[in-house]
Amino acid sequence: MTPIQEKLTPPWKEAWQSFYKNKLAVIGLGIVIFFIVIALVSPWIAPYSFKDQIMAERMQAPSSKHWFGTDDFGRDIFSRVLYGARISLWVGFFSVLGSVVVGTTLGIVAGYYGRFVDTLISRIFDIMLAFPSILLAIAVVAILGPSLQNALIAIAVINIPNFGRLVRSRVLSVKQEEYIMAAKAVGMLDARILLRHILPNSISPVIVQATLAIATAIIEAAALGFLGLGATAPTPEWGKMLADSKNYITNAPWTLFFPGMAIMLTVLGFNLMGDGLRDVLDPKMKQ
């Protein structure tokens, strides 16, 4: 490829080529796509309904009839793991989406306007970060009441400071650039500067952080479910499945192994993909 052709390469294509060279990142992307597909098609490929109870077949080991075995209510674990992918990914995506929207907005406002606004928002972030994330999530769910939707809200709330501080630091750097000063000099409105210039040039680290945060959100949702503060029966949430099976770890280990393996693989996929995106989008990581 000639130097001229290299200059004409679209940025997205160059980014994909860099991402594709990272084999671990590609593996992570493959794992994520696999679970997304599973979540979308689970109603059609699951051999049983996630709530079908066959007491005569309770606590059966994995077999050709029940690939992952059955639980203490005779429910097919394979079907419940498939349906559980929908719930875990739904919580992960939408909790992080809420965190990104609110955190990015607060971070941009704090970094751009500074002074009292920056001090107030930054102190709120500091107070929230002073609590261990899981304890803050438990407190939020305790106030709102145990449910899957409230667990989603709690996970979104505890991740807001992470995105807010990340965006604020980026905005503090970007707003000193000459093109921002030029936009102010010609009388461009603040809202337009924020949307046209500040936000696009601050979004790259947010994408990376969001990818990694989805993995964290899935673990936090599983932790809340395990503590009985998330999904309620018979919802096949992976953390809730672990909680329901903890008393059978010695005589029926398959009831914990498969939901735990699903959590592990999903989180691994998002982490590998997030590391690959960081290498592509972070200028400091480029040679």
Coordinates of all heavy atoms in Angstrom, one line a residue, residues 48-121:
Y48 N -37.0 -26.3 26.8 CA -38.1 -26.2 27.7 C -38.3 -24.7 28.1 O -37.4 -23.8 27.8 CB -37.8 -27.0 29.0 CG -37.5 -28.4 28.8 CD1 -36.2 -28.9 28.6 CD2 -38.5 -29.4 28.8 CE1 -35.9 -30.2 28.4 CE2 -38.2 -30.7 28.6 CZ -36.9 -31.1 28.4 OH -36.7 -32.5 28.2
S49 N -39.4 -24.4 28.7 CA -39.6 -23.1 29.2 C -38.8 -22.9 30.5 O -38.6 -23.9 31.2 CB -41.1 -22.8 29.6 OG -41.3 -21.6 30.3
F50 N -38.3 -21.7 30.8 CA -37.5 -21.5 32.0 C -38.2 -21.8 33.3 O -37.6 -22.0 34.4 CB -36.9 -20.1 32.0 CG -37.9 -19.0 32.2 CD1 -38.2 -18.6 33.4 CD2 -38.4 -18.4 31.1 CE1 -39.2 -17.6 33.6 CE2 -39.3 -17.3 31.2 CZ -39.7 -16.9 32.5
K51 N -39.6 -21.8 33.3 CA -40.3 -22.0 34.5 C -41.1 -23.3 34.6 O -41.8 -23.5 35.5 CB -41.3 -20.8 34.7 CG -42.3 -20.6 33.5 CD -43.1 -19.4 33.7 CE -44.0 -19.1 32.5 NZ -44.8 -17.9 32.6
D52 N -40.8 -24.2 33.6 CA -41.5 -25.5 33.7 C -40.9 -26.3 34.8 O -39.7 -26.5 34.9 CB -41.2 -26.3 32.4 CG -42.1 -25.7 31.3 OD1 -43.1 -25.0 31.6 OD2 -41.9 -26.1 30.1
Q53 N -41.7 -26.8 35.7 CA -41.3 -27.6 36.9 C -41.8 -29.0 36.7 O -43.0 -29.3 36.5 CB -41.8 -27.0 38.2 CG -41.4 -25.6 38.5 CD -41.9 -25.1 39.8 OE1 -42.4 -25.9 40.6 NE2 -41.8 -23.8 40.0
I54 N -40.8 -30.0 36.7 CA -41.1 -31.4 36.6 C -40.5 -32.0 37.8 O -39.3 -32.4 37.8 CB -40.6 -32.0 35.3 CG1 -41.0 -31.2 34.1 CG2 -41.0 -33.5 35.2 CD1 -40.4 -31.7 32.8
M55 N -41.2 -32.1 38.9 CA -40.7 -32.6 40.2 C -40.2 -34.0 40.1 O -39.2 -34.4 40.9 CB -41.7 -32.5 41.3 CG -42.2 -31.0 41.5 SD -40.9 -29.9 41.9 CE -40.4 -30.5 43.5
A56 N -40.7 -34.8 39.2 CA -40.2 -36.2 39.1 C -38.8 -36.2 38.5 O -38.1 -37.3 38.6 CB -41.2 -37.0 38.2
E57 N -38.3 -35.1 37.9 CA -37.0 -35.1 37.3 C -36.1 -34.1 38.0 O -35.1 -33.7 37.4 CB -37.1 -34.7 35.8 CG -37.9 -35.7 35.0 CD -38.0 -35.3 33.6 OE1 -37.5 -34.3 33.2 OE2 -38.6 -36.1 32.8
R58 N -36.4 -33.8 39.3 CA -35.5 -32.8 40.0 C -34.1 -33.4 40.3 O -34.0 -34.6 40.5 CB -36.2 -32.4 41.3 CG -36.4 -33.5 42.3 CD -37.3 -33.1 43.5 NE -36.7 -31.9 44.2 CZ -35.8 -32.0 45.2 NH1 -35.5 -33.3 45.6 NH2 -35.3 -31.0 45.8
M59 N -33.2 -32.5 40.3 CA -31.8 -32.8 40.6 C -31.1 -33.9 39.8 O -30.3 -34.7 40.2 CB -31.7 -33.1 42.1 CG -32.3 -32.1 43.1 SD -31.5 -30.5 42.9 CE -30.0 -30.8 43.7
Q60 N -31.5 -33.9 38.5 CA -30.9 -34.9 37.6 C -29.6 -34.4 37.1 O -29.5 -33.2 36.7 CB -31.9 -35.3 36.5 CG -33.1 -36.1 36.9 CD -33.8 -36.6 35.7 OE1 -33.5 -36.4 34.5 NE2 -34.9 -37.4 35.9
A61 N -28.6 -35.3 36.9 CA -27.3 -34.9 36.4 C -27.5 -34.6 34.9 O -28.4 -35.0 34.2 CB -26.3 -36.0 36.6
P62 N -26.5 -33.9 34.3 CA -26.5 -33.7 32.8 C -26.7 -34.9 32.0 O -26.0 -36.0 32.3 CB -25.2 -33.0 32.6 CG -24.8 -32.3 33.9 CD -25.4 -33.2 34.9
S63 N -27.5 -34.9 31.0 CA -27.8 -36.1 30.2 C -28.3 -35.6 28.8 O -28.3 -34.4 28.6 CB -28.9 -36.9 30.9 OG -30.1 -36.2 30.9
S64 N -28.6 -36.6 28.0 CA -29.0 -36.2 26.6 C -30.4 -35.5 26.7 O -30.7 -34.7 25.8 CB -29.1 -37.5 25.8 OG -30.0 -38.4 26.3
K65 N -31.2 -35.8 27.7 CA -32.5 -35.1 27.8 C -32.4 -33.7 28.4 O -33.1 -32.8 28.0 CB -33.4 -36.0 28.7 CG -34.8 -35.5 28.8 CD -35.7 -36.4 29.6 CE -37.2 -35.9 29.6 NZ -38.0 -36.8 30.4
H66 N -31.5 -33.6 29.4 CA -31.3 -32.3 30.1 C -29.7 -32.1 30.0 O -29.0 -32.6 30.9 CB -31.8 -32.3 31.5 CG -33.2 -32.5 31.6 ND1 -34.2 -31.6 31.3 CD2 -33.9 -33.7 32.0 CE1 -35.4 -32.1 31.6 NE2 -35.3 -33.3 32.0
W67 N -29.3 -31.3 29.0 CA -27.9 -31.2 28.8 C -27.1 -30.6 30.0 O -26.0 -31.0 30.2 CB -27.7 -30.2 27.6 CG -28.1 -30.8 26.3 CD1 -28.6 -32.1 26.1 CD2 -28.0 -30.2 25.0 NE1 -28.9 -32.3 24.8 CE2 -28.5 -31.2 24.1 CE3 -27.6 -29.0 24.5 CZ2 -28.6 -30.9 22.7 CZ3 -27.7 -28.7 23.2 CH2 -28.2 -29.7 22.3
F68 N -27.7 -29.7 30.7 CA -27.0 -29.1 31.9 C -27.6 -29.6 33.2 O -27.3 -29.1 34.3 CB -27.2 -27.6 31.9 CG -26.3 -26.9 30.8 CD1 -26.4 -25.5 30.7 CD2 -25.5 -27.6 30.0 CE1 -25.6 -24.9 29.7 CE2 -24.8 -27.0 29.0 CZ -24.8 -25.6 28.8
G69 N -28.5 -30.7 33.1 CA -29.1 -31.2 34.3 C -30.4 -30.4 34.7 O -30.8 -29.5 34.0
T70 N -30.9 -30.7 35.9 CA -32.1 -30.0 36.4 C -31.8 -29.5 37.8 O -30.9 -30.0 38.5 CB -33.3 -30.9 36.4 OG1 -33.0 -32.1 37.3 CG2 -33.6 -31.4 35.0
D71 N -32.6 -28.6 38.2 CA -32.4 -28.0 39.6 C -33.4 -28.6 40.6 O -34.0 -29.7 40.3 CB -32.6 -26.5 39.5 CG -34.0 -26.0 39.1 OD1 -34.9 -26.9 39.0 OD2 -34.2 -24.8 38.8
D72 N -33.5 -28.0 41.7 CA -34.3 -28.6 42.8 C -35.8 -28.6 42.5 O -36.6 -29.2 43.3 CB -34.0 -27.9 44.1 CG -34.2 -26.4 44.1 OD1 -33.9 -25.9 43.0 OD2 -34.6 -25.8 45.1
F73 N -36.2 -27.9 41.5 CA -37.6 -27.9 41.1 C -37.9 -28.6 39.8 O -39.0 -28.6 39.3 CB -38.1 -26.4 41.0 CG -38.3 -25.7 42.3 CD1 -37.4 -24.8 42.7 CD2 -39.5 -26.0 43.0 CE1 -37.6 -24.2 43.9 CE2 -39.6 -25.3 44.3 CZ -38.7 -24.4 44.7
G74 N -36.8 -29.3 39.3 CA -37.0 -30.1 38.1 C -36.9 -29.2 36.9 O -37.3 -29.7 35.8
R75 N -36.5 -28.0 37.0 CA -36.4 -27.1 35.8 C -35.1 -27.4 35.0 O -34.1 -27.6 35.6 CB -36.5 -25.6 36.3 CG -37.8 -25.3 36.9 CD -37.8 -23.9 37.5 NE -36.8 -23.7 38.6 CZ -36.8 -22.7 39.4 NH1 -37.7 -21.8 39.4 NH2 -35.9 -22.7 40.4
D76 N -35.2 -27.3 33.7 CA -34.1 -27.6 32.9 C -33.1 -26.4 33.0 O -33.4 -25.3 32.6 CB -34.5 -27.7 31.4 CG -33.4 -28.1 30.5 OD1 -32.9 -29.2 30.6 OD2 -33.1 -27.2 29.6
I77 N -31.9 -26.7 33.4 CA -30.9 -25.6 33.7 C -30.4 -25.1 32.3 O -30.1 -23.9 32.2 CB -29.7 -26.2 34.5 CG1 -30.2 -26.6 35.9 CG2 -28.6 -25.2 34.6 CD1 -29.1 -27.2 36.8
F78 N -30.3 -25.9 31.3 CA -29.8 -25.4 30.0 C -30.8 -24.3 29.5 O -30.3 -23.2 29.0 CB -29.7 -26.6 29.0 CG -29.4 -26.1 27.6 CD1 -28.1 -25.7 27.3 CD2 -30.3 -26.2 26.6 CE1 -27.7 -25.3 26.0 CE2 -29.9 -25.8 25.3 CZ -28.7 -25.4 25.0
S79 N -32.0 -24.6 29.6 CA -33.0 -23.6 29.1 C -32.9 -22.3 30.0 O -33.0 -21.2 29.5 CB -34.4 -24.1 29.2 OG -34.6 -25.3 28.4
R80 N -32.7 -22.5 31.3 CA -32.7 -21.3 32.2 C -31.4 -20.5 31.9 O -31.4 -19.2 32.0 CB -32.8 -21.8 33.6 CG -34.2 -22.3 34.0 CD -34.3 -22.8 35.4 NE -34.0 -21.8 36.4 CZ -34.8 -20.8 36.8 NH1 -36.0 -20.8 36.3 NH2 -34.5 -20.0 37.7
V81 N -30.3 -21.1 31.6 CA -29.1 -20.4 31.3 C -29.3 -19.6 30.0 O -28.8 -18.5 29.9 CB -27.9 -21.4 31.2 CG1 -26.7 -20.7 30.6 CG2 -27.6 -21.9 32.6
L82 N -29.9 -20.2 29.0 CA -30.2 -19.5 27.8 C -31.1 -18.3 28.0 O -30.7 -17.2 27.5 CB -30.9 -20.4 26.8 CG -30.1 -21.6 26.2 CD1 -30.9 -22.4 25.2 CD2 -28.8 -21.2 25.6
Y83 N -32.1 -18.4 28.7 CA -33.0 -17.3 29.0 C -32.3 -16.3 29.9 O -32.5 -15.1 29.8 CB -34.3 -17.7 29.7 CG -35.4 -18.2 28.8 CD1 -35.5 -19.6 28.5 CD2 -36.2 -17.4 28.1 CE1 -36.5 -20.1 27.7 CE2 -37.2 -17.8 27.3 CZ -37.4 -19.2 27.0 OH -38.3 -19.6 26.2
G84 N -31.4 -16.8 30.8 CA -30.7 -15.9 31.7 C -29.7 -14.9 30.9 O -29.4 -13.8 31.4
A85 N -29.3 -15.3 29.7 CA -28.4 -14.5 28.9 C -29.2 -13.2 28.6 O -28.6 -12.1 28.5 CB -28.0 -15.2 27.7
R86 N -30.5 -13.3 28.3 CA -31.3 -12.1 28.0 C -31.3 -11.1 29.1 O -31.1 -9.9 29.0 CB -32.7 -12.5 27.6 CG -32.9 -13.6 26.6 CD -34.3 -13.8 26.2 NE -34.6 -13.1 24.9 CZ -35.8 -12.9 24.5 NH1 -36.9 -13.2 25.2 NH2 -36.0 -12.3 23.3
I87 N -31.5 -11.7 30.3 CA -31.6 -10.8 31.5 C -30.3 -10.1 31.8 O -30.2 -8.9 32.1 CB -32.2 -11.6 32.7 CG1 -33.6 -12.2 32.3 CG2 -32.2 -10.8 34.0 CD1 -34.1 -13.1 33.3
S88 N -29.2 -10.9 31.9 CA -27.9 -10.4 32.3 C -27.4 -9.3 31.3 O -26.9 -8.3 31.7 CB -26.9 -11.5 32.4 OG -27.2 -12.4 33.5
L89 N -27.6 -9.6 30.0 CA -27.2 -8.6 29.0 C -28.1 -7.4 29.0 O -27.6 -6.3 28.8 CB -27.2 -9.3 27.6 CG -26.1 -10.3 27.4 CD1 -26.2 -10.9 26.0 CD2 -24.7 -9.8 27.5
W90 N -29.3 -7.6 29.2 CA -30.3 -6.5 29.3 C -29.9 -5.6 30.5 O -29.8 -4.3 30.3 CB -31.7 -7.0 29.5 CG -32.7 -5.9 29.7 CD1 -33.2 -5.1 28.8 CD2 -33.4 -5.6 30.9 NE1 -34.2 -4.3 29.3 CE2 -34.3 -4.5 30.6 CE3 -33.3 -6.1 32.3 CZ2 -35.1 -4.0 31.6 CZ3 -34.1 -5.5 33.2 CH2 -35.0 -4.5 32.9
V91 N -29.6 -6.2 31.7 CA -29.2 -5.3 32.8 C -27.9 -4.7 32.5 O -27.7 -3.5 32.8 CB -29.1 -6.2 34.1 CG1 -28.5 -5.5 35.2 CG2 -30.5 -6.8 34.5
G92 N -26.9 -5.4 32.0 CA -25.6 -4.8 31.7 C -25.7 -3.7 30.7 O -25.1 -2.6 31.0
F93 N -26.4 -3.8 29.6 CA -26.4 -2.8 28.6 C -27.1 -1.6 29.1 O -26.6 -0.4 29.0 CB -27.1 -3.3 27.3 CG -26.2 -4.1 26.4 CD1 -26.5 -5.5 26.1 CD2 -25.0 -3.6 25.9 CE1 -25.7 -6.2 25.3 CE2 -24.2 -4.4 25.1 CZ -24.5 -5.7 24.8
F94 N -28.3 -1.7 29.6 CA -29.2 -0.6 30.0 C -28.7 0.1 31.2 O -28.9 1.3 31.4 CB -30.6 -1.0 30.0 CG -31.3 -1.2 28.7 CD1 -31.4 -2.5 28.2 CD2 -31.7 -0.1 28.0 CE1 -31.9 -2.7 26.9 CE2 -32.3 -0.3 26.7 CZ -32.4 -1.6 26.2
S95 N -28.1 -0.6 32.2 CA -27.6 0.1 33.3 C -26.4 0.9 32.9 O -26.2 2.1 33.4 CB -27.1 -0.9 34.4 OG -26.1 -1.8 33.9
V96 N -25.5 0.4 32.1 CA -24.4 1.2 31.6 C -24.8 2.4 30.7 O -24.3 3.5 30.8 CB -23.4 0.3 30.9 CG1 -22.3 1.1 30.2 CG2 -22.7 -0.7 31.8
L97 N -25.8 2.1 29.9 CA -26.4 3.2 29.1 C -26.8 4.4 30.0 O -26.6 5.6 29.7 CB -27.5 2.7 28.2 CG -28.2 3.8 27.3 CD1 -27.2 4.4 26.3 CD2 -29.4 3.1 26.6
G98 N -27.6 4.1 31.0 CA -28.0 5.1 32.0 C -26.8 5.8 32.6 O -26.8 7.1 32.7
S99 N -25.8 5.0 33.0 CA -24.6 5.6 33.6 C -23.9 6.6 32.6 O -23.4 7.6 33.0 CB -23.7 4.5 34.1 OG -24.3 3.7 35.0
V100 N -23.8 6.1 31.4 CA -23.1 6.9 30.4 C -23.8 8.2 30.1 O -23.2 9.3 30.1 CB -23.0 6.1 29.0 CG1 -22.5 7.0 27.9 CG2 -22.0 5.0 29.2
V101 N -25.2 8.2 30.0 CA -25.9 9.4 29.7 C -25.8 10.4 30.8 O -25.5 11.6 30.6 CB -27.4 9.0 29.4 CG1 -28.2 10.3 29.3 CG2 -27.5 8.2 28.1
V102 N -26.1 10.0 32.0 CA -26.1 10.9 33.2 C -24.6 11.3 33.5 O -24.3 12.5 33.7 CB -26.7 10.2 34.4 CG1 -26.7 11.2 35.6 CG2 -28.2 9.9 34.1
G103 N -23.7 10.3 33.6 CA -22.3 10.6 33.9 C -21.7 11.5 32.9 O -20.9 12.5 33.3
T104 N -21.9 11.3 31.6 CA -21.3 12.1 30.6 C -21.8 13.5 30.6 O -21.1 14.5 30.5 CB -21.5 11.5 29.2 OG1 -20.9 10.2 29.1 CG2 -20.9 12.4 28.1
T105 N -23.1 13.6 30.8 CA -23.7 15.0 30.9 C -23.2 15.8 32.1 O -22.8 16.9 31.9 CB -25.3 14.9 31.1 OG1 -25.8 14.1 30.0 CG2 -25.9 16.2 31.1
L106 N -23.1 15.2 33.2 CA -22.6 15.9 34.4 C -21.1 16.2 34.2 O -20.6 17.2 34.6 CB -22.8 15.0 35.7 CG -24.2 14.8 36.1 CD1 -24.3 13.9 37.3 CD2 -24.9 16.1 36.5
G107 N -20.3 15.2 33.6 CA -18.9 15.4 33.4 C -18.6 16.6 32.5 O -17.7 17.4 32.7
I108 N -19.4 16.7 31.4 CA -19.2 17.7 30.4 C -19.5 19.1 31.1 O -18.8 20.1 30.9 CB -20.1 17.5 29.2 CG1 -19.5 16.3 28.4 CG2 -20.2 18.8 28.3 CD1 -20.4 16.0 27.1
V109 N -20.7 19.1 31.8 CA -21.0 20.4 32.5 C -20.0 20.8 33.5 O -19.6 22.0 33.5 CB -22.4 20.2 33.1 CG1 -22.7 21.5 34.0 CG2 -23.5 20.0 32.1
A110 N -19.5 19.9 34.3 CA -18.5 20.2 35.3 C -17.2 20.7 34.7 O -16.6 21.7 35.1 CB -18.3 19.0 36.2
G111 N -16.7 20.0 33.7 CA -15.5 20.3 33.0 C -15.5 21.6 32.2 O -14.5 22.3 32.2
Y112 N -16.6 21.8 31.6 CA -16.7 23.0 30.7 C -16.9 24.3 31.5 O -16.3 25.3 31.2 CB -17.8 22.8 29.7 CG -17.9 23.9 28.6 CD1 -17.0 24.0 27.6 CD2 -18.9 24.9 28.7 CE1 -17.1 25.0 26.6 CE2 -19.0 25.9 27.8 CZ -18.1 25.9 26.7 OH -18.1 26.9 25.8
Y113 N -17.9 24.3 32.4 CA -18.2 25.5 33.1 C -17.3 25.8 34.3 O -17.1 26.9 34.7 CB -19.7 25.5 33.6 CG -20.6 25.6 32.4 CD1 -21.3 24.5 31.9 CD2 -20.8 26.8 31.8 CE1 -22.1 24.6 30.8 CE2 -21.7 26.9 30.7 CZ -22.3 25.8 30.2 OH -23.2 25.9 29.1
G114 N -16.8 24.7 35.0 CA -15.9 24.9 36.1 C -16.4 25.6 37.2 O -17.7 25.7 37.5
R115 N -15.6 26.2 38.1 CA -15.9 27.0 39.2 C -16.9 26.2 40.2 O -16.7 25.1 40.5 CB -16.4 28.3 38.8 CG -15.4 29.1 38.0 CD -15.9 30.5 37.7 NE -14.9 31.3 36.9 CZ -15.1 32.5 36.5 NH1 -16.2 33.2 36.8 NH2 -14.1 33.1 35.9
F116 N -18.0 26.9 40.5 CA -18.9 26.4 41.5 C -19.6 25.1 41.0 O -19.8 24.2 41.8 CB -20.0 27.4 41.9 CG -21.1 26.9 42.8 CD1 -20.8 26.7 44.1 CD2 -22.3 26.6 42.2 CE1 -21.8 26.2 44.9 CE2 -23.3 26.1 43.0 CZ -23.1 25.9 44.4
V117 N -19.9 25.1 39.7 CA -20.6 24.0 39.2 C -19.7 22.7 39.2 O -20.1 21.6 39.6 CB -21.0 24.2 37.7 CG1 -21.6 23.0 37.1 CG2 -22.0 25.4 37.7
D118 N -18.4 22.9 38.9 CA -17.5 21.8 38.9 C -17.2 21.3 40.3 O -17.2 20.1 40.6 CB -16.1 22.3 38.3 CG -15.1 21.2 38.2 OD1 -15.5 20.0 38.2 OD2 -13.9 21.5 38.1
T119 N -17.1 22.3 41.2 CA -16.9 21.9 42.6 C -18.1 21.1 43.2 O -17.9 20.1 43.8 CB -16.7 23.2 43.5 OG1 -15.6 23.9 43.0 CG2 -16.5 22.8 45.0
L120 N -19.3 21.5 42.9 CA -20.5 20.8 43.4 C -20.6 19.4 42.8 O -20.8 18.5 43.6 CB -21.7 21.7 43.1 CG -23.1 21.0 43.4 CD1 -23.2 20.8 44.9 CD2 -24.2 21.8 42.9
I121 N -20.5 19.3 41.5 CA -20.6 18.0 40.9 C -19.4 17.1 41.3 O -19.7 15.9 41.6 CB -20.6 18.1 39.4 CG1 -21.9 18.9 38.9 CG2 -20.6 16.8 38.7 CD1 -22.0 19.2 37.5

